[in-house]
Amino acid sequence: MSDLGAMETTEDLLLDGRVRLIQPKTGYRAAVDPVLLAASVPARAGERAVDLGCGAGAVFACLAGRVAGVEVIGVERDPAMADLARRTLDLNGFTGRIETADLTDLPATWEAGRIDHVVANPPYLPADRADPSPDAGRAAAGVEAGADLADWMAAARRCLRHKGTVTVVHRADRLDDILSALSRGFGSVVVFPLFPKAGRDAGRVLVRAVRGGRAPLRLAPGLVLHEADGAYTAAAEAILRGAPLDL
């Protein structure tokens, strides 16, 4: 767990300056993945979205900054990070709340069937495959501890309404684990590869599924993030500035 009293923070801008994010100065800091994840959620004004493991709030802040009128609920087990998420929520004037809780401790009745969308950026590696960072924040964000992908998807399933969506961003080499975790209660799965450059294998994937969905799995064309010189492609740049990402 983080120590809020010892944590130095920065205030950073996302979505071309429309969203302000308070996050740790060192350790895990928001990069591209949370912005792409938030851009891919098909939310509309008046709907409710849960950000599981919200950290400092980059995903829900980008979602609420892009779709006015969305109510966001963050769930974060680290009290210090949950406090940063509350500050981000208040700083931007978004509607919602932050709950300090481990997703595995949420009761079965928690928001049962009341949520339209769930987003998650789970730790990328299981403990038996990871070499954890010595920084506690980076380690917590990158390595599973106490909850695996099946636990994350079970928490999403319990709170989603029928035909509600769950969207995650994750490593491409864990796609089989993601699909296995979605095999109970979800369907209409879309896999959207994120390619670092043209001609390269996908390093990340966005995966969206529908609670109670019945359509077959669809593999989308995906998105190339960088040009050969390392600059963002025009499509990626537009999304980082606030454009939606249609899966």
Side-chain angles (χ1 to χ4, degrees), residues 195-212:
F195 303 100
K197 293 182 179 180
R200 297 270 297 275
D201 289 349
R204 300 278 191 269
V205 288
L206 288 163
V207 181
R208 187 167 72 212
V210 177
R211 186 173 189 259

Side-chain angles (χ1 to χ4, degrees), residues 119-135:
V119 292
N121 184 11
Y124 284 149
L125 290 172
D128 61 0
R129 286 177 51 190
D131 181 15
S133 168
D135 180 89

Side-chain angles (χ1 to χ4, degrees), residues 110-122:
W110 185 83
E111 296 289 352
R114 302 183 64 231
I115 300 301
D116 300 290
H117 306 283
V118 171
V119 292
N121 184 11

